[in-house]
Amino acid sequence: MTSPLVLVNLKTYKEGTGSRAHMIAQAAQLVAQESGVTIGIAPGYIDLHPLCHHFSVPVYAQHVDGVEPGANTGHITVDAIRTAGAAGSLVNHAERRLTLADIEASVRALQAHKLISVVCTNNEATSGAAAALGPSYVAIEPPELIGSGVSVSKANPDIIKRSVAAVRAIRPEVKVLTGAGIQSGECVKIAVDLGTDGVLLASSVVKSKEPGAVLRDLVSRL
Amino acid sequence: MTSPLVLVNLKTYKEGTGSRAHMIAQAAQLVAQESGVTIGIAPGYIDLHPLCHHFSVPVYAQHVDGVEPGANTGHITVDAIRTAGAAGSLVNHAERRLTLADIEASVRALQAHKLISVVCTNNEATSGAAAALGPSYVAIEPPELIGSGVSVSKANPDIIKRSVAAVRAIRPEVKVLTGAGIQSGECVKIAVDLGTDGVLLASSVVKSKEPGAVLRDLVSRL
Amino acid sequence: MTSPLVLVNLKTYKEGTGSRAHMIAQAAQLVAQESGVTIGIAPGYIDLHPLCHHFSVPVYAQHVDGVEPGANTGHITVDAIRTAGAAGSLVNHAERRLTLADIEASVRALQAHKLISVVCTNNEATSGAAAALGPSYVAIEPPELIGSGVSVSKANPDIIKRSVAAVRAIRPEVKVLTGAGIQSGECVKIAVDLGTDGVLLASSVVKSKEPGAVLRDLVSRL
Amino acid sequence: MTSPLVLVNLKTYKEGTGSRAHMIAQAAQLVAQESGVTIGIAPGYIDLHPLCHHFSVPVYAQHVDGVEPGANTGHITVDAIRTAGAAGSLVNHAERRLTLADIEASVRALQAHKLISVVCTNNEATSGAAAALGPSYVAIEPPELIGSGVSVSKANPDIIKRSVAAVRAIRPEVKVLTGAGIQSGECVKIAVDLGTDGVLLASSVVKSKEPGAVLRDLVSRL
């Protein structure tokens, strides 16, 4: 069994941009080294290359377009994030939903460049559908719990169990993350005990005054 | 084995609106009675209720939103098309792509009202993903062949075979249609021989001066 | 000065569909005849043709696509709503936002068919921009007040005044509606006194047990 | 009268990414210094900060979201591009169309940070509408000519004249760019003679083996 992944989405929070992004990446690197747990960081586009350059933690884009380089103004290609040093990308986050055709194109483009794809989904059925595309990870996040401070692990363990089962039934090799309201080592422990391969989270780390302490707590029960 | 479905999408063609929609539905009804093949019609929203009222052929919406009745200006709910008498709806047509979350919501809403869902897809991978949502049909239409006059059955039989396999591997009970460039009984025969449960087509019937003759040819080899 | 317009958006409310849509249209027709005020109705697509057929009040679509008839599955053309008998259409409602290019195409298509265009906007600046497209009406609805039960006339008269001024400065012939939270004759009176040409409203009529009584109150101070 | 602006959109062309982006920016800087003409560069998000850091030419984002920093995964805020050192941003490019509400939010956010806003439009009417939002520039690009190799200056001088007039009638202080098919100093000269304040172009510079030579030609008649 592989080590779980704790993936921290910096969104466009002020507290996750520029020097704060660096500080969080540094804390992630330190806690990852101490604990042996893989901690990834998904910063804004502008911070992507600097973070890849300065830190050893895997850095993810928050979104990527499945288009080829070309006449696509305002898009971000897999080619661009790969050159920047990204390990992979979120795809279809609740705050950046894509059409099914575009999700598939993004996953396929990430695979073609041997990058990690993390497709976000909102329920059991869409988790199964996303798994059928063969991404590296499916990240199930019940939309009503995102940013709520209520942990999906505690509020809705059933949706996690059913989503894990739905993904496994279709593509056993696809890993599962869960997210929404994750804020402590206990939440992470429950998520992993329910069969997931880690968590996707944001505000509890990014908005903390001590991201390192939160990260240390998050991995403490693994 | 059930009889194949020939589903005629009237799009917003002038030749598929108003009295022409009625004429095509009448022809479809006649050919269906003669041949025993199920022929469905997907007219514009305005013609939906009159066609359901006047003809015995199954009538489909071209799109439906998975939202509940409520504050959704400019949307079309499953409730609305069911009341109009629709048998089901296309979902995620190439000319009306939806997010994965919205496709799932539409399929679920159609199921809840016991209506037929036909999810359109663009390739093998998205066909598998759509199948995972458990719709009645997945309709695979390679976008580059839509309206091209080049039949998918002849130009790309492999994509049909692989899509049928992808759907069957995930949900054997989900039926498969194919489309794009279908124009003759031979195209339909090949599609069915490749394992599909019928075809989705538009211009070759709608833009014909004799839709009845085209329909008669389309079902002639079944 | 022309008589104000009271435009009732039935959205996809259950209470504004089918027989309820007919009942509201009937009430609107009666109150319009009694009062001399123009009352329009914007039902769902399915009810559009029957209402146009059965009632003398002007009937509006809730949305229209600016595309020509053709290969546009799931769209609704101006041609379709005109044939159904519509007087015009809402465009860019808060619940169905469009790109600027698509708003312009819809307005132009409505003009080409001599139908009334009502472009919805969210603030003073977008009201001016919409006016530049030369629609029949701009309908300013502060999104935070839609369906709130708090009337824009009372909560934010300034945004109405400024929007009227913004529209007049750019195209004096474009009329202005306002909406969001409108529920009484007093709200309508204030709106008109602030320089608008009427109101756009929904829930207070649609969800009422006595739409006729609400409509009678709405026009009572004009 | 201010000096015209030649704004080079690098899109996501391979030939406009990474070291090629630097090479083009360097060429732009040199030609700008020689000629006194302002030459701006709009690279991909990843190259935005490095180009701002290394070159004196104004660097633009290709798109910006009008949202505040916060829970907006996969978005790019004005705050982010300003911190990166951008001079401004394109908004609503033909390859990245936005709703009217989002265009207005982006323009307002750029203004609030004192950055330059360049709103792209597709015809005379949308140019007037965009002008009403008070951006720094409106850039009119007939979609059918983008990347066509046929210059808008020669193919459709009328649309330029009418768009300039439409913008001036609404907000005389808003500057006008034009684009689509611009490839020589003659095209630029015509555009400026027709009343514009410069040009927006892409492939003729980006895909050239000698971007410096093309840029030198482009500014040669100013």
Side-chain angles (χ1 to χ4, degrees):
Chain A
M1 189 198 130
T2 59
S3 153
L5 170 64
V6 171
L7 182 47
V8 182
N9 177 3
L10 306 187
K11 300 195 173 183
T12 62
Y13 288 125
K14 261 207 183 292
E15 304 89 341
T17 303
S19 60
R20 276 283 302 190
H22 278 68
M23 191 265 261
I24 294 170
Q26 181 120 47
Q29 182 168 289
L30 188 65
V31 175
Q33 282 162 353
E34 289 170 9
S35 65
V37 175
T38 304
I39 303 179
I41 300 287
Y45 303 127
I46 301 293
D47 291 317
L48 195 65
H49 181 238
L51 292 194
C52 292
H53 191 68
H54 289 110
F55 301 100
S56 62
V57 291
V59 178
Y60 289 74
Q62 291 176 14
H63 160 80
V64 76
D65 292 296
V67 296
E68 290 297 304
N72 302 298
T73 301
H75 290 63
I76 179 132
T77 63
V78 172
D79 202 64
I81 67 165
R82 190 190 51 75
T83 306
S89 183
L90 298 179
V91 175
N92 192 46
H93 188 275
E95 292 153 12
R96 192 78 160 83
R97 288 290 191 225
L98 302 179
T99 67
L100 174 57
D102 284 345
I103 297 171
E104 194 270 334
S106 291
V107 168
R108 190 158 28 89
L110 287 162
Q111 288 170 334
H113 287 82
K114 303 198 185 309
L115 297 190
I116 301 170
S117 49
V118 181
V119 179
C120 301
T121 56
N122 58 318
N123 60 25
E124 176 189 352
T126 51
S127 297
L133 302 174
S136 315
Y137 289 89
V138 168
I140 161 80
E141 298 193 294
E144 66 279 13
L145 298 179
I146 296 178
S148 69
V150 178
S151 161
V152 63
S153 318
K154 296 180 183 176
N156 201 342
D158 259 15
I159 199 180
I160 301 180
K161 264 192 272 187
R162 284 185 281 112
S163 296
V164 169
V167 170
R168 299 282 185 258
I170 283 173
R171 291 259 196 143
E173 76 278 16
V174 173
K175 294 173 186 162
V176 180
L177 300 182
T178 192
I182 299 290
Q183 48 197 326
S184 71
E186 195 194 349
C187 305
V188 178
K189 177 78 164 63
I190 296 172
V192 170
D193 287 349
L194 289 168
T196 71
D197 303 279
V199 295
L200 174 60
L201 79 172
S203 56
S204 61
V205 171
V206 182
K207 302 195 117 183
S208 166
K209 284 192 179 153
E210 298 186 70
V214 176
L215 285 166
R216 205 163 273 124
D217 178 41
L218 285 165
V219 303
S220 63
R221 308 277 300 271
L222 295 176
Chain B
M1 190 196 129
T2 59
S3 154
L5 170 63
V6 172
L7 183 46
V8 182
N9 178 4
L10 305 188
K11 301 195 173 183
T12 62
Y13 288 124
K14 260 205 182 295
E15 303 90 341
T17 303
S19 59
R20 276 283 301 190
H22 278 68
M23 191 265 261
I24 295 170
Q26 180 119 48
Q29 182 168 289
L30 188 64
V31 175
Q33 281 161 353
E34 289 169 9
S35 65
V37 175
T38 304
I39 303 178
I41 300 287
Y45 304 127
I46 299 294
D47 292 317
L48 195 65
H49 182 237
L51 293 193
C52 292
H53 191 69
H54 289 110
F55 301 99
S56 62
V57 291
V59 178
Y60 289 74
Q62 293 176 14
H63 160 80
V64 75
D65 292 296
V67 296
E68 290 297 304
N72 302 297
T73 301
H75 290 62
I76 179 130
T77 63
V78 172
D79 202 63
I81 67 165
R82 190 189 52 74
T83 306
S89 183
L90 298 180
V91 175
N92 192 45
H93 188 275
E95 293 153 11
R96 192 78 160 83
R97 290 290 191 223
L98 301 179
T99 67
L100 174 58
D102 285 344
I103 297 170
E104 193 270 333
S106 291
V107 169
R108 190 157 28 89
L110 286 163
Q111 288 171 334
H113 287 82
K114 303 197 187 307
L115 298 190
I116 301 171
S117 49
V118 181
V119 179
C120 301
T121 56
N122 57 319
N123 60 25
E124 176 189 353
T126 51
S127 296
L133 302 174
S136 316
Y137 289 91
V138 168
I140 160 79
E141 297 193 295
E144 65 280 12
L145 299 179
I146 296 177
S148 68
V150 178
S151 161
V152 63
S153 316
K154 297 180 182 175
N156 201 344
D158 258 17
I159 199 180
I160 302 179
K161 266 193 270 186
R162 284 185 281 112
S163 296
V164 169
V167 170
R168 299 281 184 260
I170 283 172
R171 290 260 197 143
E173 76 278 16
V174 173
K175 292 173 188 162
V176 180
L177 301 181
T178 192
I182 300 290
Q183 47 197 326
S184 71
E186 195 194 349
C187 305
V188 177
K189 176 80 164 63
I190 295 172
V192 171
D193 287 348
L194 289 167
T196 70
D197 303 280
V199 296
L200 174 60
L201 79 172
S203 56
S204 60
V205 171
V206 183
K207 302 194 119 186
S208 166
K209 284 191 179 155
E210 298 185 70
V214 176
L215 286 166
R216 206 163 273 123
D217 178 40
L218 285 167
V219 303
S220 62
R221 309 277 299 271
L222 295 175
Chain C
M1 190 196 130
T2 60
S3 153
L5 170 64
V6 172
L7 182 46
V8 182
N9 177 4
L10 304 187
K11 301 197 174 184
T12 63
Y13 288 124
K14 259 203 184 300
E15 302 89 341
T17 303
S19 59
R20 276 282 303 189
H22 278 67
M23 191 264 260
I24 294 170
Q26 181 118 48
Q29 181 169 289
L30 188 64
V31 175
Q33 282 161 353
E34 289 170 9
S35 64
V37 175
T38 304
I39 303 179
I41 300 286
Y45 304 127
I46 301 294
D47 292 318
L48 194 64
H49 182 237
L51 293 193
C52 292
H53 192 68
H54 289 110
F55 301 99
S56 62
V57 291
V59 178
Y60 289 73
Q62 291 176 14
H63 161 79
V64 76
D65 293 296
V67 297
E68 289 297 304
N72 302 299
T73 302
H75 290 63
I76 180 131
T77 63
V78 172
D79 201 63
I81 67 165
R82 189 189 51 76
T83 307
S89 183
L90 298 180
V91 174
N92 191 47
H93 188 275
E95 293 153 12
R96 192 79 160 80
R97 287 292 191 222
L98 301 179
T99 66
L100 174 58
D102 285 345
I103 296 170
E104 192 271 334
S106 292
V107 169
R108 190 157 29 89
L110 287 162
Q111 287 170 334
H113 288 82
K114 304 199 186 307
L115 297 190
I116 301 170
S117 49
V118 180
V119 178
C120 302
T121 57
N122 58 317
N123 60 26
E124 176 189 352
T126 52
S127 296
L133 302 174
S136 317
Y137 289 91
V138 167
I140 161 79
E141 297 193 295
E144 66 278 12
L145 298 180
I146 296 177
S148 70
V150 178
S151 161
V152 62
S153 318
K154 296 180 184 174
N156 201 344
D158 258 16
I159 199 179
I160 301 179
K161 264 192 273 186
R162 284 185 281 111
S163 296
V164 169
V167 169
R168 299 281 185 258
I170 284 173
R171 291 258 196 144
E173 75 278 17
V174 173
K175 293 173 187 161
V176 180
L177 301 181
T178 191
I182 299 290
Q183 47 198 324
S184 72
E186 194 193 349
C187 305
V188 177
K189 175 80 164 61
I190 296 172
V192 171
D193 287 347
L194 290 167
T196 71
D197 303 280
V199 296
L200 173 61
L201 80 171
S203 56
S204 60
V205 171
V206 183
K207 303 194 118 185
S208 165
K209 284 190 180 154
E210 298 185 70
V214 176
L215 285 166
R216 205 162 275 123
D217 178 41
L218 285 166
V219 303
S220 62
R221 309 277 298 273
L222 294 176
Chain D
M1 188 196 132
T2 60
S3 154
L5 169 64
V6 172
L7 182 47
V8 183
N9 177 3
L10 304 188
K11 301 196 173 184
T12 63
Y13 288 124
K14 260 206 183 299
E15 303 88 341
T17 304
S19 59
R20 276 282 302 191
H22 279 66
M23 191 265 261
I24 295 169
Q26 181 120 47
Q29 181 168 290
L30 188 65
V31 175
Q33 283 163 352
E34 288 170 9
S35 64
V37 175
T38 304
I39 303 179
I41 300 287
Y45 304 127
I46 301 294
D47 292 316
L48 194 65
H49 181 237
L51 292 193
C52 293
H53 191 69
H54 289 110
F55 301 99
S56 60
V57 291
V59 179
Y60 288 75
Q62 292 176 14
H63 161 79
V64 76
D65 292 296
V67 296
E68 290 297 303
N72 301 299
T73 301
H75 290 62
I76 180 130
T77 62
V78 172
D79 201 64
I81 67 165
R82 190 189 51 75
T83 307
S89 183
L90 298 180
V91 175
N92 192 45
H93 188 274
E95 294 153 10
R96 192 80 161 85
R97 289 290 191 225
L98 301 180
T99 66
L100 173 58
D102 285 344
I103 296 170
E104 192 271 334
S106 292
V107 169
R108 191 158 27 90
L110 287 161
Q111 287 170 334
H113 288 81
K114 303 196 186 310
L115 297 190
I116 300 170
S117 48
V118 181
V119 178
C120 301
T121 57
N122 57 318
N123 60 26
E124 177 189 352
T126 52
S127 296
L133 301 173
S136 315
Y137 289 92
V138 167
I140 160 79
E141 298 193 295
E144 66 279 12
L145 298 179
I146 295 178
S148 68
V150 178
S151 161
V152 63
S153 318
K154 297 179 184 176
N156 201 343
D158 258 16
I159 199 180
I160 301 180
K161 265 192 272 187
R162 282 185 282 113
S163 297
V164 169
V167 170
R168 299 281 184 261
I170 284 173
R171 290 260 196 143
E173 75 278 17
V174 173
K175 293 173 187 163
V176 180
L177 300 182
T178 192
I182 299 291
Q183 45 197 327
S184 71
E186 195 193 348
C187 306
V188 178
K189 176 80 164 61
I190 297 172
V192 171
D193 286 348
L194 290 167
T196 72
D197 302 279
V199 295
L200 174 61
L201 79 172
S203 55
S204 60
V205 171
V206 183
K207 302 195 118 186
S208 165
K209 284 192 179 152
E210 298 185 70
V214 176
L215 286 167
R216 205 162 275 123
D217 178 40
L218 286 166
V219 303
S220 62
R221 309 278 299 273
L222 295 175

